[in-house]
PDB file of all heavy atoms in Angstrom:
ATOM      1  N   ARG A1300     -18.296  12.644  31.802  1.00  0.00           N
ATOM      2  CA  ARG A1300     -17.098  13.070  31.118  1.00  0.00           C
ATOM      3  C   ARG A1300     -16.215  11.824  30.687  1.00  0.00           C
ATOM      4  O   ARG A1300     -16.107  10.891  31.478  1.00  0.00           O
ATOM      5  CB  ARG A1300     -16.284  13.992  32.041  1.00  0.00           C
ATOM      6  CG  ARG A1300     -15.069  14.598  31.374  1.00  0.00           C
ATOM      7  CD  ARG A1300     -14.340  15.550  32.265  1.00  0.00           C
ATOM      8  NE  ARG A1300     -13.209  16.105  31.642  1.00  0.00           N
ATOM      9  CZ  ARG A1300     -12.294  16.981  32.217  1.00  0.00           C
ATOM     10  NH1 ARG A1300     -12.615  17.475  33.401  1.00  0.00           N
ATOM     11  NH2 ARG A1300     -11.272  17.491  31.522  1.00  0.00           N
ATOM     12  N   LEU A1301     -15.724  11.990  29.518  1.00  0.00           N
ATOM     13  CA  LEU A1301     -14.916  10.844  28.960  1.00  0.00           C
ATOM     14  C   LEU A1301     -13.472  11.141  29.128  1.00  0.00           C
ATOM     15  O   LEU A1301     -12.947  12.150  28.801  1.00  0.00           O
ATOM     16  CB  LEU A1301     -15.274  10.710  27.418  1.00  0.00           C
ATOM     17  CG  LEU A1301     -14.706   9.478  26.769  1.00  0.00           C
ATOM     18  CD1 LEU A1301     -15.611   8.223  27.157  1.00  0.00           C
ATOM     19  CD2 LEU A1301     -14.903   9.620  25.188  1.00  0.00           C
ATOM     20  N   TYR A1302     -12.808  10.081  29.597  1.00  0.00           N
ATOM     21  CA  TYR A1302     -11.322  10.195  29.898  1.00  0.00           C
ATOM     22  C   TYR A1302     -10.731   9.176  29.026  1.00  0.00           C
ATOM     23  O   TYR A1302     -10.957   7.992  29.122  1.00  0.00           O
ATOM     24  CB  TYR A1302     -10.984   9.967  31.294  1.00  0.00           C
ATOM     25  CG  TYR A1302     -11.514  11.034  32.289  1.00  0.00           C
ATOM     26  CD1 TYR A1302     -12.695  10.881  32.815  1.00  0.00           C
ATOM     27  CD2 TYR A1302     -10.636  12.098  32.570  1.00  0.00           C
ATOM     28  CE1 TYR A1302     -13.145  11.913  33.660  1.00  0.00           C
ATOM     29  CE2 TYR A1302     -11.115  13.130  33.408  1.00  0.00           C
ATOM     30  CZ  TYR A1302     -12.445  12.956  33.938  1.00  0.00           C
ATOM     31  OH  TYR A1302     -12.823  14.040  34.867  1.00  0.00           O
ATOM     32  N   ARG A1303      -9.817   9.517  28.087  1.00  0.00           N
ATOM     33  CA  ARG A1303      -9.199   8.672  27.140  1.00  0.00           C
ATOM     34  C   ARG A1303      -7.727   8.348  27.484  1.00  0.00           C
ATOM     35  O   ARG A1303      -7.050   9.185  28.036  1.00  0.00           O
ATOM     36  CB  ARG A1303      -9.198   9.225  25.716  1.00  0.00           C
ATOM     37  CG  ARG A1303     -10.600   9.450  25.107  1.00  0.00           C
ATOM     38  CD  ARG A1303     -10.662   9.779  23.668  1.00  0.00           C
ATOM     39  NE  ARG A1303      -9.803  10.936  23.318  1.00  0.00           N
ATOM     40  CZ  ARG A1303      -8.737  10.965  22.654  1.00  0.00           C
ATOM     41  NH1 ARG A1303      -8.202   9.812  22.252  1.00  0.00           N
ATOM     42  NH2 ARG A1303      -8.127  12.129  22.470  1.00  0.00           N
ATOM     43  N   TYR A1304      -7.274   7.030  27.296  1.00  0.00           N
ATOM     44  CA  TYR A1304      -5.931   6.628  27.655  1.00  0.00           C
ATOM     45  C   TYR A1304      -5.375   5.663  26.524  1.00  0.00           C
ATOM     46  O   TYR A1304      -6.169   5.116  25.778  1.00  0.00           O
ATOM     47  CB  TYR A1304      -5.991   5.845  28.940  1.00  0.00           C
ATOM     48  CG  TYR A1304      -6.612   6.554  30.190  1.00  0.00           C
ATOM     49  CD1 TYR A1304      -7.931   6.461  30.445  1.00  0.00           C
ATOM     50  CD2 TYR A1304      -5.823   7.470  30.950  1.00  0.00           C
ATOM     51  CE1 TYR A1304      -8.458   7.111  31.466  1.00  0.00           C
ATOM     52  CE2 TYR A1304      -6.411   8.083  31.969  1.00  0.00           C
ATOM     53  CZ  TYR A1304      -7.714   7.880  32.233  1.00  0.00           C
ATOM     54  OH  TYR A1304      -8.260   8.631  33.314  1.00  0.00           O
ATOM     55  N   TYR A1305      -4.088   5.620  26.624  1.00  0.00           N
ATOM     56  CA  TYR A1305      -3.345   4.491  25.836  1.00  0.00           C
ATOM     57  C   TYR A1305      -2.756   3.590  26.885  1.00  0.00           C
ATOM     58  O   TYR A1305      -2.047   4.042  27.733  1.00  0.00           O
ATOM     59  CB  TYR A1305      -2.324   5.097  24.956  1.00  0.00           C
ATOM     60  CG  TYR A1305      -2.889   5.789  23.729  1.00  0.00           C
ATOM     61  CD1 TYR A1305      -3.137   7.097  23.684  1.00  0.00           C
ATOM     62  CD2 TYR A1305      -3.304   5.062  22.591  1.00  0.00           C
ATOM     63  CE1 TYR A1305      -3.583   7.798  22.611  1.00  0.00           C
ATOM     64  CE2 TYR A1305      -3.896   5.685  21.483  1.00  0.00           C
ATOM     65  CZ  TYR A1305      -4.021   7.097  21.515  1.00  0.00           C
ATOM     66  OH  TYR A1305      -4.583   7.694  20.424  1.00  0.00           O
ATOM     67  N   VAL A1306      -3.038   2.314  26.692  1.00  0.00           N
ATOM     68  CA  VAL A1306      -2.576   1.305  27.687  1.00  0.00           C
ATOM     69  C   VAL A1306      -1.681   0.214  27.023  1.00  0.00           C
ATOM     70  O   VAL A1306      -2.104  -0.256  25.957  1.00  0.00           O
ATOM     71  CB  VAL A1306      -3.785   0.566  28.328  1.00  0.00           C
ATOM     72  CG1 VAL A1306      -3.310  -0.426  29.427  1.00  0.00           C
ATOM     73  CG2 VAL A1306      -4.769   1.644  28.952  1.00  0.00           C
ATOM     74  N   CYS A1307      -0.574  -0.056  27.587  1.00  0.00           N
ATOM     75  CA  CYS A1307       0.315  -1.135  27.064  1.00  0.00           C
ATOM     76  C   CYS A1307      -0.529  -2.505  27.058  1.00  0.00           C
ATOM     77  O   CYS A1307      -1.005  -2.819  28.124  1.00  0.00           O
ATOM     78  CB  CYS A1307       1.556  -1.285  27.904  1.00  0.00           C
ATOM     79  SG  CYS A1307       2.519  -2.762  27.456  1.00  0.00           S
ATOM     80  N   THR A1308      -0.583  -3.136  25.909  1.00  0.00           N
ATOM     81  CA  THR A1308      -1.405  -4.409  25.916  1.00  0.00           C
ATOM     82  C   THR A1308      -0.776  -5.451  26.780  1.00  0.00           C
ATOM     83  O   THR A1308      -1.489  -6.384  27.246  1.00  0.00           O
ATOM     84  CB  THR A1308      -1.601  -4.853  24.418  1.00  0.00           C
ATOM     85  OG1 THR A1308      -0.273  -4.939  23.766  1.00  0.00           O
ATOM     86  CG2 THR A1308      -2.503  -3.901  23.726  1.00  0.00           C
ATOM     87  N   THR A1309       0.571  -5.473  26.947  1.00  0.00           N
ATOM     88  CA  THR A1309       1.238  -6.465  27.799  1.00  0.00           C
ATOM     89  C   THR A1309       0.733  -6.289  29.173  1.00  0.00           C
ATOM     90  O   THR A1309       0.265  -7.248  29.905  1.00  0.00           O
ATOM     91  CB  THR A1309       2.760  -6.405  27.734  1.00  0.00           C
ATOM     92  OG1 THR A1309       3.215  -6.616  26.434  1.00  0.00           O
ATOM     93  CG2 THR A1309       3.365  -7.289  28.685  1.00  0.00           C
ATOM     94  N   ARG A1310       0.767  -5.071  29.628  1.00  0.00           N
ATOM     95  CA  ARG A1310       0.305  -4.697  31.061  1.00  0.00           C
ATOM     96  C   ARG A1310      -1.196  -4.953  31.164  1.00  0.00           C
ATOM     97  O   ARG A1310      -1.649  -5.481  32.215  1.00  0.00           O
ATOM     98  CB  ARG A1310       0.646  -3.265  31.323  1.00  0.00           C
ATOM     99  CG  ARG A1310       0.237  -2.773  32.774  1.00  0.00           C
ATOM    100  CD  ARG A1310       0.538  -1.343  32.936  1.00  0.00           C
ATOM    101  NE  ARG A1310       0.236  -0.857  34.324  1.00  0.00           N
ATOM    102  CZ  ARG A1310       1.068  -0.629  35.209  1.00  0.00           C
ATOM    103  NH1 ARG A1310       2.397  -0.835  34.884  1.00  0.00           N
ATOM    104  NH2 ARG A1310       0.761  -0.161  36.421  1.00  0.00           N
ATOM    105  N   GLN A1311      -1.934  -4.738  30.113  1.00  0.00           N
ATOM    106  CA  GLN A1311      -3.400  -4.831  30.105  1.00  0.00           C
ATOM    107  C   GLN A1311      -3.723  -6.359  30.208  1.00  0.00           C
ATOM    108  O   GLN A1311      -4.700  -6.683  30.916  1.00  0.00           O
ATOM    109  CB  GLN A1311      -3.985  -4.242  28.842  1.00  0.00           C
ATOM    110  CG  GLN A1311      -5.529  -4.151  28.813  1.00  0.00           C
ATOM    111  CD  GLN A1311      -5.938  -3.600  27.510  1.00  0.00           C
ATOM    112  OE1 GLN A1311      -5.474  -3.933  26.448  1.00  0.00           O
ATOM    113  NE2 GLN A1311      -6.889  -2.604  27.614  1.00  0.00           N
ATOM    114  N   LYS A1312      -3.025  -7.250  29.556  1.00  0.00           N
ATOM    115  CA  LYS A1312      -3.348  -8.606  29.576  1.00  0.00           C
ATOM    116  C   LYS A1312      -2.697  -9.429  30.760  1.00  0.00           C
ATOM    117  O   LYS A1312      -3.271 -10.426  31.167  1.00  0.00           O
ATOM    118  CB  LYS A1312      -3.019  -9.245  28.153  1.00  0.00           C
ATOM    119  CG  LYS A1312      -3.741  -8.716  27.082  1.00  0.00           C
ATOM    120  CD  LYS A1312      -3.229  -9.293  25.700  1.00  0.00           C
ATOM    121  CE  LYS A1312      -3.918  -8.667  24.540  1.00  0.00           C
ATOM    122  NZ  LYS A1312      -3.350  -9.191  23.255  1.00  0.00           N
ATOM    123  N   GLN A1313      -1.401  -9.058  31.044  1.00  0.00           N
ATOM    124  CA  GLN A1313      -0.676  -9.797  31.996  1.00  0.00           C
ATOM    125  C   GLN A1313      -0.539  -9.125  33.371  1.00  0.00           C
ATOM    126  O   GLN A1313       0.037  -9.738  34.270  1.00  0.00           O
ATOM    127  CB  GLN A1313       0.687 -10.212  31.437  1.00  0.00           C
ATOM    128  CG  GLN A1313       0.545 -10.956  30.107  1.00  0.00           C
ATOM    129  CD  GLN A1313       1.847 -11.279  29.480  1.00  0.00           C
ATOM    130  OE1 GLN A1313       2.923 -11.360  30.215  1.00  0.00           O
ATOM    131  NE2 GLN A1313       1.960 -11.383  28.157  1.00  0.00           N
ATOM    132  N   GLY A1314      -0.904  -7.874  33.517  1.00  0.00           N
ATOM    133  CA  GLY A1314      -0.723  -7.112  34.801  1.00  0.00           C
ATOM    134  C   GLY A1314       0.488  -6.274  34.857  1.00  0.00           C
ATOM    135  O   GLY A1314       1.414  -6.346  33.989  1.00  0.00           O
ATOM    136  N   SER A1315       0.509  -5.502  35.901  1.00  0.00           N
ATOM    137  CA  SER A1315       1.681  -4.529  36.058  1.00  0.00           C
ATOM    138  C   SER A1315       3.034  -5.206  36.280  1.00  0.00           C
ATOM    139  O   SER A1315       4.054  -4.530  35.968  1.00  0.00           O
ATOM    140  CB  SER A1315       1.350  -3.620  37.249  1.00  0.00           C
ATOM    141  OG  SER A1315       1.225  -4.363  38.442  1.00  0.00           O
ATOM    142  N   GLU A1316       3.046  -6.399  36.723  1.00  0.00           N
ATOM    143  CA  GLU A1316       4.330  -7.159  36.855  1.00  0.00           C
ATOM    144  C   GLU A1316       5.018  -7.353  35.493  1.00  0.00           C
ATOM    145  O   GLU A1316       6.203  -7.454  35.477  1.00  0.00           O
ATOM    146  CB  GLU A1316       4.111  -8.411  37.588  1.00  0.00           C
ATOM    147  CG  GLU A1316       3.540  -8.325  39.012  1.00  0.00           C
ATOM    148  CD  GLU A1316       1.957  -8.223  38.976  1.00  0.00           C
ATOM    149  OE1 GLU A1316       1.419  -8.302  37.909  1.00  0.00           O
ATOM    150  OE2 GLU A1316       1.420  -7.948  40.062  1.00  0.00           O
ATOM    151  N   ALA A1317       4.225  -7.468  34.501  1.00  0.00           N
ATOM    152  CA  ALA A1317       4.774  -7.795  33.176  1.00  0.00           C
ATOM    153  C   ALA A1317       5.352  -6.607  32.463  1.00  0.00           C
ATOM    154  O   ALA A1317       6.277  -6.721  31.655  1.00  0.00           O
ATOM    155  CB  ALA A1317       3.630  -8.438  32.262  1.00  0.00           C
ATOM    156  N   CYS A1318       4.848  -5.405  32.786  1.00  0.00           N
ATOM    157  CA  CYS A1318       5.393  -4.162  32.138  1.00  0.00           C
ATOM    158  C   CYS A1318       5.127  -2.953  33.007  1.00  0.00           C
ATOM    159  O   CYS A1318       4.034  -2.813  33.580  1.00  0.00           O
ATOM    160  CB  CYS A1318       4.741  -3.902  30.826  1.00  0.00           C
ATOM    161  SG  CYS A1318       5.316  -2.481  29.841  1.00  0.00           S
ATOM    162  N   ASP A1319       6.130  -2.155  33.119  1.00  0.00           N
ATOM    163  CA  ASP A1319       6.032  -0.926  34.046  1.00  0.00           C
ATOM    164  C   ASP A1319       5.377   0.270  33.436  1.00  0.00           C
ATOM    165  O   ASP A1319       5.041   1.224  34.186  1.00  0.00           O
ATOM    166  CB  ASP A1319       7.492  -0.534  34.523  1.00  0.00           C
ATOM    167  CG  ASP A1319       8.106  -1.610  35.386  1.00  0.00           C
ATOM    168  OD1 ASP A1319       7.358  -2.379  36.041  1.00  0.00           O
ATOM    169  OD2 ASP A1319       9.369  -1.716  35.300  1.00  0.00           O
ATOM    170  N   THR A1320       5.210   0.327  32.165  1.00  0.00           N
ATOM    171  CA  THR A1320       4.577   1.502  31.503  1.00  0.00           C
ATOM    172  C   THR A1320       3.200   1.750  31.915  1.00  0.00           C
ATOM    173  O   THR A1320       2.358   0.903  31.774  1.00  0.00           O
ATOM    174  CB  THR A1320       4.636   1.305  29.992  1.00  0.00           C
ATOM    175  OG1 THR A1320       6.047   1.156  29.555  1.00  0.00           O
ATOM    176  CG2 THR A1320       4.073   2.649  29.304  1.00  0.00           C
ATOM    177  N   PRO A1321       2.870   2.843  32.536  1.00  0.00           N
ATOM    178  CA  PRO A1321       1.531   3.104  32.980  1.00  0.00           C
ATOM    179  C   PRO A1321       0.637   3.601  31.835  1.00  0.00           C
ATOM    180  O   PRO A1321       1.125   3.815  30.725  1.00  0.00           O
ATOM    181  CB  PRO A1321       1.725   4.370  33.947  1.00  0.00           C
ATOM    182  CG  PRO A1321       2.874   5.064  33.346  1.00  0.00           C
ATOM    183  CD  PRO A1321       3.798   3.998  32.824  1.00  0.00           C
ATOM    184  N   SER A1322      -0.659   3.784  32.167  1.00  0.00           N
ATOM    185  CA  SER A1322      -1.549   4.331  31.185  1.00  0.00           C
ATOM    186  C   SER A1322      -1.221   5.843  30.828  1.00  0.00           C
ATOM    187  O   SER A1322      -0.818   6.583  31.737  1.00  0.00           O
ATOM    188  CB  SER A1322      -3.021   4.290  31.746  1.00  0.00           C
ATOM    189  OG  SER A1322      -3.379   2.961  32.005  1.00  0.00           O
ATOM    190  N   LEU A1323      -1.275   6.193  29.654  1.00  0.00           N
ATOM    191  CA  LEU A1323      -0.882   7.531  29.176  1.00  0.00           C
ATOM    192  C   LEU A1323      -2.168   8.302  28.887  1.00  0.00           C
ATOM    193  O   LEU A1323      -3.062   7.718  28.086  1.00  0.00           O
ATOM    194  CB  LEU A1323       0.079   7.475  27.954  1.00  0.00           C
ATOM    195  CG  LEU A1323       1.279   6.719  28.075  1.00  0.00           C
ATOM    196  CD1 LEU A1323       2.044   6.618  26.787  1.00  0.00           C
ATOM    197  CD2 LEU A1323       2.184   7.175  29.283  1.00  0.00           C
ATOM    198  N   PRO A1324      -2.323   9.472  29.277  1.00  0.00           N
ATOM    199  CA  PRO A1324      -3.450  10.354  28.848  1.00  0.00           C
ATOM    200  C   PRO A1324      -3.441  10.575  27.388  1.00  0.00           C
ATOM    201  O   PRO A1324      -2.555  11.112  26.733  1.00  0.00           O
ATOM    202  CB  PRO A1324      -3.279  11.630  29.627  1.00  0.00           C
ATOM    203  CG  PRO A1324      -1.794  11.643  30.006  1.00  0.00           C
ATOM    204  CD  PRO A1324      -1.401  10.234  30.132  1.00  0.00           C
ATOM    205  N   ALA A1325      -4.541  10.090  26.694  1.00  0.00           N
ATOM    206  CA  ALA A1325      -4.564  10.150  25.232  1.00  0.00           C
ATOM    207  C   ALA A1325      -4.442  11.543  24.608  1.00  0.00           C
ATOM    208  O   ALA A1325      -3.601  11.676  23.677  1.00  0.00           O
ATOM    209  CB  ALA A1325      -5.851   9.456  24.728  1.00  0.00           C
ATOM    210  N   GLN A1326      -5.209  12.450  25.059  1.00  0.00           N
ATOM    211  CA  GLN A1326      -5.218  13.786  24.422  1.00  0.00           C
ATOM    212  C   GLN A1326      -3.850  14.413  24.499  1.00  0.00           C
ATOM    213  O   GLN A1326      -3.276  15.044  23.572  1.00  0.00           O
ATOM    214  CB  GLN A1326      -6.244  14.672  25.017  1.00  0.00           C
ATOM    215  CG  GLN A1326      -6.396  15.971  24.245  1.00  0.00           C
ATOM    216  CD  GLN A1326      -6.989  15.748  22.842  1.00  0.00           C
ATOM    217  OE1 GLN A1326      -8.002  15.094  22.620  1.00  0.00           O
ATOM    218  NE2 GLN A1326      -6.259  16.205  21.845  1.00  0.00           N
ATOM    219  N   GLU A1327      -3.218  14.310  25.705  1.00  0.00           N
ATOM    220  CA  GLU A1327      -1.916  14.944  25.849  1.00  0.00           C
ATOM    221  C   GLU A1327      -0.751  14.315  25.038  1.00  0.00           C
ATOM    222  O   GLU A1327       0.011  15.072  24.441  1.00  0.00           O
ATOM    223  CB  GLU A1327      -1.534  14.826  27.360  1.00  0.00           C
ATOM    224  CG  GLU A1327      -2.440  15.721  28.278  1.00  0.00           C
ATOM    225  CD  GLU A1327      -2.231  15.515  29.684  1.00  0.00           C
ATOM    226  OE1 GLU A1327      -1.235  14.867  30.085  1.00  0.00           O
ATOM    227  OE2 GLU A1327      -3.045  15.968  30.506  1.00  0.00           O
ATOM    228  N   ILE A1328      -0.762  12.985  24.900  1.00  0.00           N
ATOM    229  CA  ILE A1328       0.348  12.436  24.099  1.00  0.00           C
ATOM    230  C   ILE A1328      -0.047  12.590  22.601  1.00  0.00           C
ATOM    231  O   ILE A1328       0.902  12.738  21.819  1.00  0.00           O
ATOM    232  CB  ILE A1328       0.526  10.894  24.481  1.00  0.00           C
ATOM    233  CG1 ILE A1328       1.883  10.457  23.897  1.00  0.00           C
ATOM    234  CG2 ILE A1328      -0.660  10.005  23.950  1.00  0.00           C
ATOM    235  CD1 ILE A1328       2.347   9.087  24.471  1.00  0.00           C
ATOM    236  N   GLU A1329      -1.257  12.701  22.271  1.00  0.00           N
ATOM    237  CA  GLU A1329      -1.532  12.912  20.801  1.00  0.00           C
ATOM    238  C   GLU A1329      -1.125  14.382  20.472  1.00  0.00           C
ATOM    239  O   GLU A1329      -0.527  14.577  19.394  1.00  0.00           O
ATOM    240  CB  GLU A1329      -3.008  12.810  20.624  1.00  0.00           C
ATOM    241  CG  GLU A1329      -3.556  11.296  20.620  1.00  0.00           C
ATOM    242  CD  GLU A1329      -5.107  11.180  20.676  1.00  0.00           C
ATOM    243  OE1 GLU A1329      -5.740  12.267  20.778  1.00  0.00           O
ATOM    244  OE2 GLU A1329      -5.500  10.057  20.783  1.00  0.00           O
TER     245      GLU A1329
END
Side-chain angles (χ1 to χ4, degrees):
R1300 184 175 178 180
L1301 191 70
Y1302 295 88
R1303 299 190 300 113
Y1304 304 92
Y1305 286 98
V1306 183
C1307 170
T1308 52
T1309 298
R1310 184 185 180 101
Q1311 190 178 45
K1312 295 175 182 178
Q1313 303 178 28
S1315 58
E1316 299 81 6
C1318 183
D1319 295 331
T1320 300
S1322 299
L1323 304 177
Q1326 189 63 57
E1327 293 174 7
I1328 197 165
E1329 288 168 359

